[in-house]
């Protein structure tokens, strides 16, 4: 067997080579761009992203509560990964589908590697909190302690608190003849208990749910004279008082456990009533198959055997956890009032200079749009004084005839959806294109859809076989003897809280062709017909991939004609095989390709003869990089698009996505400046190596520290002509406290 053949064989039996090893693909004389060894595994690449989050939790340079926040984000990210991605792999295995993915691995091989990687990361997470953060937080007045560590005064207080506040909320459930094993809900924390009757010597298994849905995860006791207030995990409090739940019984053994279930919805494309179908699936979600069981690392073999037998899970689905289970609960600590010295300074969004309010005026977004295209960059630019003000102004304007908006994810306190109700009440046509299948926000979207329909808003659920992921608002205004279209197209959701934590771009434009394109898109999605050929925008599932591939090909052609050429992209994920192969071909032609990919990247850079002209970086920091930008340089000209889609098959083939060209040279320069700063970042940036590993970048000797997010915050603040507007609480700190745990 040749060295190349051996390398390829080994590729399917182990993980990609790590640093120090060299891929042998470069030895190929006629490379096959579909060779599986050219592609990184999608799921393992996602775990690499979450590893970067974990590295921030481990970073001693960050304030303590910021590090605790990253522990929580790592955990909630991983929960969703198991509920969706691992559950999907399990479904394939159970169905006997073991077809390899584009990287050559089968579902079984991938799951085995996931388990190995997650267990190693889990050990680091536990060591980070138990060995580093816990003690440091205690030294700074936030001690998380067990019952055994309390003094007598606090134990007495805790016993009284248990009897009054916790005990009434508990329901011990024993497993015995006539008493089947209780249903364990998804992500719920529980105590597994073995109890013995001393009179009969009979032992039974019991489960006690830790009711974190209705009680805080950490019980706060009275502060000491020095102001320090102990926090005791709720499960530890319950475990200490189990004798109250099982009077007269001997507690033989107990430990904590947590179940993760398949939570991905499966809604038929042929569903006659999409709303009802999604509601039915939401009810079924609670009963999904178990894909992971986390247990205390000290759980005894007999108790673990009893538990896994009753749950019906395999050994490889069990994950021992040392220390605190479910660190998503650390959001409670992150949101504690005070302790400003343990956090990053608040970052406030400014009002865009062209929208900056005067003494007696609020931003006039419509007038600014008539002056020319306007680009906003959240959270540096206030979402409240731009996007929310745009819709608010349209509702109040008597010349506005219609307001149409897509709703993928929105917050409970967002004024945008209620604005559509207000528009209807004022006699305007209001249309909401609501995506009911926005994962884990289905319930919220159903709530809003019903409220909108009851108010008379035209609510449409889009195409059953497609998710509507496009982010746009269309305002139709009567002007002169005709109408003008005012359009906002963004890269992020219309969600007030995430707009203060996620970096996203938005374009405000009155361009006639873009306005006509967006109007056609709404008509296609709300009406009945075939998709049209759009004038300027790129839409998925029919045009977006082909549009990106065409831009790549045109850039390669310009390079071959001797013109300066470059491809620069920023996105959340790069998975699509056709797009990756096109980028490989561009690299082979000599075109420099710079990719800023926050999360999953299946492209392998740095392979001689294939991708040595491709650089991939990932920025993971205080803000979640969420914007999508696709820039193509051909000579002195640029084609630049922003949009809602990542380069993934699900976005390009199974979603309604929208990308819009940025044609103003001034706005193009602003986007290119952001991209260049991203590639110069040496504080929160990682670079992808050809062997599949990621290396955190550090400033070279004599090099100044460069941070994309810090530089942009300072840049936009310097442009602020006026202080932040009223009713615009665009601060990262406030958004963090308002958000649910999942990011």
């Amino acid at each position: 067997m040749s060295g190349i053949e051996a390398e390829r064989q080994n590729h399917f039996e182990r993980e990609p080579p790590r640093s120090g090893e060299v891929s042998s693909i470069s030895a190929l004389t006629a490379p096959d761009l579909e060779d599986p060894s050219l592609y990184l595994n999608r799921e393992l690449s996602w775990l690499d992203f979450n590893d970067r989050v974990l590295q921030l939790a481990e970073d001693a340079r960050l304030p303590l509560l910021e590090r605790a926040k990253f522990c929580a984000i790592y955990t909630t990210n991983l929960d969703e990964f198991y509920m969706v991605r691992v559950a999907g792999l399990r479904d394939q295995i159970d169905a006997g589908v073991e077809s390899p993915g584009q990287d050559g691995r089968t579902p079984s091989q991938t799951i085995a590697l996931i388990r190995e990687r997650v267990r190693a990361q889990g050990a680091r997470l536990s060591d980070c909190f138990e060995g580093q953060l816990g003690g440091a937080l205690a030294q700074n007045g936030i001690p998380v302690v067990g019952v055994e560590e309390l003094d007598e005064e606090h134990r007495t207080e805790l016993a009284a608190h248990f009897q009054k506040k916790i005990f009434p909320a508990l329901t011990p459930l024993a497993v015995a003849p006539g008493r089947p094993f209780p249903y364990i809900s998804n992500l719920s924390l529980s105590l597994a208990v073995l109890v013995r009757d001393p009179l009969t010597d009979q032992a039974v298994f019991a489960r006690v749910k830790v009711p974190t849905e209705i009680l805080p995860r950490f019980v706060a006791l009275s502060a000491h004279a020095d102001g320090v207030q102990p926090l005791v995990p709720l499960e530890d409090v319950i475990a200490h008082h189990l004798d109250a739940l099982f009077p007269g019984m001997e507690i033989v053994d107990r430990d904590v456990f947590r179940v993760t279930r398949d939570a991905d919805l499966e809604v038929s494309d042929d569903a006659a009533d999409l709303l009802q179908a999604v509601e039915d699936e939401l009810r079924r979600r609670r009963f999904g198959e178990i894909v992971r069981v986390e247990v205390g690392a000290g759980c005894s073999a007999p108790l673990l055997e009893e538990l896994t037998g009753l749950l019906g899970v395999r050994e490889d689905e069990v994950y021992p956890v040392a220390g605190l289970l479910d660190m998503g609960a650390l959001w409670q600590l992150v949101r504690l009032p005070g302790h400003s010295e343990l956090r990053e300074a608040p970052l406030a969004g400014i009002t865009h200079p062209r929208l900056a309010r005067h003494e007696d005026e609020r931003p006039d977004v419509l007038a600014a749009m008539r002056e020319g295209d306007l680009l906003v960059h959240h959270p540096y630019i206030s979402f409240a004084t731009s996007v929310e003000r745009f819709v608010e102004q349209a509702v109040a304007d008597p010349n506005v005839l219609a307001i149409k908006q897509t709703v993928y994810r929105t917050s409970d306190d967002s004024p945008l959806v209620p604005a559509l109700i207000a528009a209807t009440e004022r006699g305007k046509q209001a249309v909401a294109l609501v995506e009911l299948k926005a994962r884990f926000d289905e319930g919220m979207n159903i709530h809003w859809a019903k409220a909108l329909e009851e108010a008379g808003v035209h609510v449409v659920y889009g195409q059953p076989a497609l998710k509507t992921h496009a982010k746009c608002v269309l305002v139709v205004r009567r002007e002169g003897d005709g109408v003008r279209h005012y359009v906002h197209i963004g890269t992020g959701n219309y969600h007030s809280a995430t707009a203060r934590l996620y970096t996203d771009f938005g374009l405000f434009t009155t361009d006639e062709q873009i306005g006509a394109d967006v109007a056609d898109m709404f008509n296609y999605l709300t009406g009945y017909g075939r998709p049209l050929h759009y004038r300027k925008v790129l839409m998925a599932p029919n045009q977006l991939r082909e549009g990106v591939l065409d831009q790549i090909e045109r850039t390669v052609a310009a390079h071959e004609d001797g013109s300066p050429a470059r491809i620069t992209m920023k996105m959340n994920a790069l998975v699509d095989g056709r797009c990756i192969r096109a980028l490989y071909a561009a690299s082979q032609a000599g075109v420099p390709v710079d990719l800023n990919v926050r999360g999953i990247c299946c492209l392998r850079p740095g392979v001689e003869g294939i991708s040595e002209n491709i650089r991939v970086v990932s920025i993971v920091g205080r803000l979640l990089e969420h914007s999508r930008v696709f820039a193509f340089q051909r000579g002195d000209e640029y084609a630049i698009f922003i949009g809602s889609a990542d380069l993934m098959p699900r976005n390009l083939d199974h979603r309604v996505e929208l990308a819009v060209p940025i044609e103003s040279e001034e706005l193009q320069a602003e986007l290119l400046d952001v991209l260049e700063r991203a590639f110069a970042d040496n504080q929160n940036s990682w670079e992808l190596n050809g062997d599949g590993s990621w290396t955190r970048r550090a400033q070279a000797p004599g090099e100044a520290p460069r941070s994309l997010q810090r530089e942009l915050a300072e840049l936009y603040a310097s442009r602020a002509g006026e202080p932040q507007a009223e009713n615009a609480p665009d601060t990262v700190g406030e958004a963090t406290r308002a958000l649910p745990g999942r990011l």
Side-chain angles (χ1 to χ4, degrees):
M1 180 183 294
S2 70
I4 295 173
E5 291 170 338
E7 169 64 25
R8 284 186 172 169
Q9 166 126 8
N10 289 340
H11 171 79
F12 300 113
E13 298 173 353
R14 59 175 173 85
E15 293 194 64
R18 287 301 181 186
S19 58
E21 298 180 53
V22 179
S23 172
S24 66
I25 301 168
S26 58
L28 297 174
T29 56
D32 175 9
L33 297 187
E34 296 191 18
D35 188 320
S37 57
L38 288 175
Y39 298 86
L40 301 175
N41 182 273
R42 182 197 193 283
E43 318 306 343
L44 300 181
S45 182
W46 184 91
L47 288 177
D48 284 338
F49 156 67
N50 216 29
D51 191 280
R52 298 193 283 281
V53 175
L54 177 55
Q55 289 179 53
L56 292 177
E58 296 169 323
D59 191 340
R61 297 173 297 177
L62 298 182
L64 283 176
L65 287 179
E66 299 297 327
R67 295 177 64 188
K69 177 187 72 176
F70 285 116
C71 287
I73 292 173
Y74 171 89
T75 301
T76 50
N77 282 350
L78 192 62
D79 288 345
E80 183 171 330
F81 177 73
Y82 269 84
M83 287 188 286
V84 178
R85 300 303 309 178
V86 175
L89 292 172
R90 289 286 185 202
D91 287 344
Q92 291 182 54
I93 294 169
D94 292 344
V97 177
E98 284 285 2
S99 302
Q102 67 179 358
D103 69 309
R105 289 190 176 90
T106 65
S108 293
Q109 291 171 323
T110 300
I111 277 192
L113 290 170
I114 287 171
R115 176 176 171 78
E116 178 183 334
R117 189 84 62 89
V118 168
R119 291 199 63 178
Q121 290 179 357
R124 286 168 48 204
L125 178 68
S126 295
D127 181 67
C128 177
F129 185 76
E130 304 294 337
Q132 303 171 40
L133 291 181
L137 287 169
Q139 292 173 9
N140 285 272
I142 310 177
V144 177
V145 298
V147 176
E148 301 300 328
E149 300 173 70
L150 298 173
D151 57 30
E152 193 59 36
E153 182 180 349
H154 274 134
R155 286 196 194 188
T156 302
E157 178 189 350
L158 186 62
H161 178 88
F162 174 81
Q163 288 296 331
K164 184 177 181 180
K165 298 289 184 67
I166 301 174
F167 181 75
L170 302 178
T171 304
L173 297 171
V175 179
R179 295 184 180 183
F181 187 69
Y183 171 76
I184 311 295
S185 57
N186 186 33
L187 299 183
S188 62
L189 198 63
S190 300
L191 287 171
V193 186
L194 282 177
V195 296
R196 186 179 68 84
D197 186 339
L199 297 180
T200 65
D201 202 38
Q202 180 182 4
V204 298
F205 178 93
R207 176 255 186 158
V208 180
K209 182 176 181 178
V210 180
T212 54
E213 299 90 345
I214 56 176
L215 295 175
R217 175 66 184 280
F218 299 102
V219 178
L221 299 176
S222 299
H224 287 291
D226 59 5
V228 175
Q229 186 177 30
L231 297 162
V232 186
L234 182 58
E235 65 272 22
D236 201 44
V237 178
I238 297 171
H240 188 74
H241 294 90
L242 282 175
D243 56 338
L245 293 169
F246 302 97
M249 298 292 110
E250 175 190 353
I251 308 300
V252 177
D253 202 357
R254 50 89 175 169
D255 217 314
V256 66
F257 73 97
R258 183 170 179 256
V259 165
T260 308
R261 294 182 178 275
D262 180 347
D264 204 16
L265 294 187
E266 295 183 8
V267 179
S268 170
D269 296 343
D270 300 322
D273 186 335
L274 186 59
L275 178 62
Q276 185 62 50
V278 173
E279 288 183 318
D280 291 343
E281 279 297 311
L282 281 177
R283 283 189 288 271
R284 282 194 288 270
R285 172 182 278 171
R286 299 189 306 113
F287 302 98
E289 293 293 324
I290 295 174
V291 293
R292 179 182 59 165
V293 179
E294 298 166 281
V295 299
C299 185
S300 68
L303 183 60
L304 182 59
E305 183 179 357
E306 185 78 19
L307 175 63
T308 55
L310 289 167
L311 290 173
V313 296
R314 300 187 301 270
E315 181 181 354
D316 64 352
E317 294 172 321
V318 177
Y319 291 77
V321 177
L324 187 70
L325 207 63
D326 181 18
M327 289 198 197
L330 294 178
W331 280 105
Q332 183 180 337
L333 306 188
V334 175
R335 294 169 178 148
L336 287 173
H339 303 288
S340 59
E341 73 282 2
L342 304 182
R343 311 176 196 277
E344 298 275 14
L347 185 151
I350 65 144
T351 297
H352 193 287
R354 280 176 55 191
L355 300 176
R357 55 181 272 184
H358 302 290
E359 290 185 6
D360 300 319
E361 296 181 21
R362 303 189 67 187
D364 190 339
V365 182
L366 301 183
M369 293 172 70
R370 288 191 289 271
E371 295 171 3
D373 289 356
L374 185 74
L375 186 73
V376 291
H377 193 182
H378 309 302
Y380 312 106
I381 299 295
S382 165
F383 186 76
T385 59
S386 57
V387 176
E388 290 180 352
R389 174 58 184 157
F390 170 54
V391 177
E392 174 190 287
Q393 188 178 356
V395 171
D397 189 331
N399 289 315
V400 168
L401 305 176
I403 303 173
K404 302 182 181 184
Q405 179 184 336
T406 59
V407 180
Y408 188 75
R409 299 191 197 278
T410 190
S411 53
D412 214 5
D413 60 347
S414 172
L416 292 178
V417 177
L420 294 177
I421 296 174
T424 297
E425 293 171 347
R426 293 177 181 231
K428 306 178 191 301
Q429 184 187 70
V431 177
L433 191 57
V434 180
E435 179 48 67
L436 295 179
K437 295 173 288 183
R439 185 177 290 140
F440 301 119
D441 279 319
E442 301 94 344
M444 174 68 74
N445 286 1
I446 288 173
H447 161 75
W448 279 120
K450 290 181 176 179
L452 289 165
E453 284 183 320
E454 290 171 0
V457 176
H458 298 295
V459 177
V460 181
Y461 303 131
Q463 305 290 326
L466 302 172
K467 279 188 178 182
T468 301
H469 194 246
K471 328 291 185 184
C472 58
V473 177
L474 171 66
V475 171
V476 182
R477 187 174 188 268
R478 182 191 304 112
E479 295 183 6
D481 58 356
V483 297
R484 189 198 294 252
H485 290 152
Y486 293 75
V487 179
H488 172 267
I489 298 174
T491 67
N493 300 306
Y494 294 116
H495 193 295
S496 299
T498 58
R500 301 194 291 274
L501 285 173
Y502 294 10
T503 68
D504 276 300
F505 287 107
L507 175 70
F508 290 95
T509 184
T510 59
D511 182 282
E512 290 186 9
Q513 290 184 305
I514 293 175
D517 281 345
V518 173
D520 286 346
M521 183 202 76
F522 273 105
N523 289 339
Y524 161 59
L525 293 174
T526 62
Y528 184 75
R530 292 185 176 86
L532 303 171
H533 179 76
Y534 295 93
R535 303 158 185 83
K536 285 188 175 181
V537 305
L538 299 176
M539 262 196 69
N542 301 294
Q543 281 184 301
L544 185 49
R545 180 191 281 109
E546 298 304 325
V548 170
L549 295 177
D550 177 64
Q551 291 293 333
I552 294 173
E553 290 173 2
R554 292 168 64 181
T555 306
V556 170
H559 172 77
E560 292 174 342
D561 287 342
S563 298
R566 183 186 179 193
I567 298 170
T568 312
M569 297 181 174
K570 182 179 186 297
M571 66 196 89
N572 298 313
L574 173 57
V575 177
D576 185 68
R578 289 184 62 191
C579 291
I580 291 174
R581 287 188 285 279
L583 293 172
Y584 282 155
S587 172
Q588 289 178 310
V591 177
V593 178
D594 291 317
L595 305 175
N596 182 347
V597 185
R598 171 176 57 87
I600 302 166
C601 181
C602 295
L603 177 148
R604 190 188 293 275
V607 179
E608 184 181 348
I610 294 174
S611 58
E612 69 267 43
N613 292 312
I614 301 178
R615 173 174 54 156
V616 181
V617 302
S618 171
I619 293 176
V620 182
R622 179 185 188 185
L623 304 172
L624 186 139
E625 293 294 326
H626 192 254
S627 56
R628 292 93 166 184
V629 183
F630 307 99
F632 307 90
Q633 178 190 2
R634 296 187 282 270
D636 296 330
E637 296 182 352
Y638 289 87
I640 303 179
F641 296 80
I642 66 170
S644 58
D646 294 307
L647 298 186
M648 306 177 73
R650 74 179 189 190
N651 297 86
L652 302 174
D653 298 322
H654 306 295
R655 290 185 175 185
V656 176
E657 304 277 10
L658 188 62
V660 62
I662 305 297
E663 298 178 322
S664 158
E665 290 186 2
E666 179 184 357
L667 302 189
Q668 286 186 345
E670 184 173 344
L671 287 169
L672 292 172
D673 177 66
V674 171
L675 293 173
E676 292 304 325
R677 291 175 189 269
F679 290 107
D681 190 305
N682 56 26
Q683 300 297 298
N684 292 295
S685 178
W686 283 256
E687 188 154 359
L688 179 59
N689 305 307
D691 60 15
S693 65
W694 291 84
T695 301
R696 188 168 185 177
R697 300 180 65 195
Q699 60 198 82
E703 184 182 29
R706 298 289 304 274
S707 167
L708 168 71
Q709 295 180 357
R710 185 182 65 246
E711 288 181 10
L712 290 178
E714 293 171 353
L715 175 67
Y716 285 105
S718 71
R719 295 176 179 173
E722 295 288 338
Q724 184 182 335
E726 294 178 6
N727 302 319
D730 284 13
T731 66
V732 168
E734 292 178 11
T736 297
R737 288 188 282 276
L739 270 178
R742 181 179 58 83
L743 288 180

